[in-house]
Amino acid sequence: MSDWSERVALVTGGTRGIGFAVAKSLAEVGALVGVTGRDAGRAEAAAQSLSETTQGRVVGLGMDVSVPDAIDSGIADFVKAQGRIDILVNNAGITRDNLLMRMKADDWDEVMRVNAGGIYHCSRAVLRPMIRQRYGRIINMSSVVGLMGNAGQTNYAASKAAMLGFTKALAREVASREITVNAVAPGYIETDMTEAIAEDAKQALYAAIPLGRIGAPEEVANVVRFLASPESSYITGQVLQVNGGLYM
């Protein structure tokens, strides 16, 4: 069993859904966890909720991952306050779905700025402290859509596919410093987005998934926690799919 009591983690977009489950999973084993959200009040509320339910050490940070200056100052302050940063989970992301012929340029740009730009700025901000301590785990939350595509999501699919190339390239750059970089590609998971799917569409989706169901956020969080742990020390540059067999 690993000792997580000295580990410090930062989970972007950690106020709900998969990000919240990831933060909870890390707090439960004893890590100090920072959760970020664009709304500082919501981030602090999520941290308070996690602190009460896990008895863990959780802090909330208001941070917009589409604003480079906010990322640099927010992460620098977090690292200074905690003394180190061991784990970064790049989870923050948005969708702006539409068929390409109807998609506005702003919708393309915003998705790329948040989903792809966010992992660039956040990862870059944690590299120096991770290199100094010669230890780090960077985990990027991609998607099955980045592997198989999905009609009406060219911007989202492009941003999530970009994460995969980013993961493999960065893994090669920092492996000599004992920093691993991996990606997790969830399929359809029980979140606010999937709750909005019509019932007939859900039934069609179940039929396409060999396990016959949508996944739970905790099932993704378990994989992230493994990649964040010392037990994953010989795994880097990989994409772990959590999709019930939807894409193999």
Side-chain angles (χ1 to χ4, degrees):
M1 181 69 69
S2 302
D3 180 9
W4 294 78
S5 62
E6 301 301 319
R7 295 302 182 200
V8 176
L10 184 66
V11 181
T12 68
T15 63
R16 60 181 181 175
I18 291 173
F20 187 85
V22 168
K24 181 178 180 181
S25 179
L26 295 174
E28 284 176 337
V29 292
L32 185 147
V33 183
V35 295
T36 81
R38 283 182 293 181
D39 183 288
R42 180 176 291 177
E44 291 168 4
Q48 179 65 29
S49 173
L50 288 167
S51 296
E52 293 172 353
T53 57
T54 66
Q55 296 184 341
R57 302 166 297 160
V58 187
V59 296
L61 298 85
M63 191 173 78
D64 187 338
V65 299
S66 69
V67 181
D69 289 346
I71 294 172
D72 290 342
S73 61
I75 290 180
D77 289 346
F78 178 72
V79 174
K80 183 178 180 180
Q82 308 308 330
R84 60 185 294 120
I85 176 74
D86 301 289
I87 302 155
L88 170 66
V89 182
N90 282 310
N91 173 75
I94 62 169
T95 58
R96 295 290 184 270
D97 298 348
N98 214 331
L99 296 175
L100 183 61
M101 64 186 298
R102 298 174 184 168
M103 185 178 292
K104 296 178 181 178
D106 286 348
D107 290 337
W108 173 275
D109 291 342
E110 187 176 10
V111 168
M112 296 301 289
R113 185 167 58 251
V114 173
N115 297 2
I119 68 165
Y120 159 73
H121 292 291
C122 291
S123 298
R124 189 170 181 270
V126 304
L127 281 183
R128 289 190 186 279
M130 285 185 175
I131 288 171
R132 283 197 299 268
Q133 65 200 28
R134 295 190 67 83
Y135 183 91
R137 299 281 187 268
I138 297 175
I139 301 149
N140 299 320
M141 195 64 67
S142 184
S143 168
V144 67
V145 172
L147 293 162
M148 64 182 283
N150 194 36
Q153 290 191 306
T154 51
N155 50 2
Y156 186 74
S159 70
K160 293 299 183 177
M163 286 186 180
L164 306 182
F166 178 96
T167 295
K168 293 174 182 294
L170 183 57
R172 291 184 180 276
E173 290 183 11
V174 298
S176 65
R177 300 299 193 272
E178 299 299 324
I179 300 169
T180 64
V181 187
N182 293 288
V184 176
Y188 288 90
I189 306 297
E190 293 173 358
T191 63
D192 293 345
M193 285 189 289
T194 55
E195 284 181 6
I197 298 175
E199 188 59 33
D200 57 343
K202 281 186 180 180
Q203 294 305 317
L205 183 58
Y206 295 157
I209 299 172
L211 285 181
R213 63 178 176 85
I214 290 177
E218 292 75 18
E219 292 176 299
V220 180
N222 290 339
V223 174
V224 174
R225 186 170 67 185
F226 168 68
L227 290 175
S229 74
E231 283 77 8
S232 68
S233 58
Y234 204 55
I235 301 173
T236 195
Q238 304 303 308
V239 182
L240 272 66
Q241 299 185 56
V242 188
N243 62 34
L246 176 63
Y247 181 82
M248 299 184 185

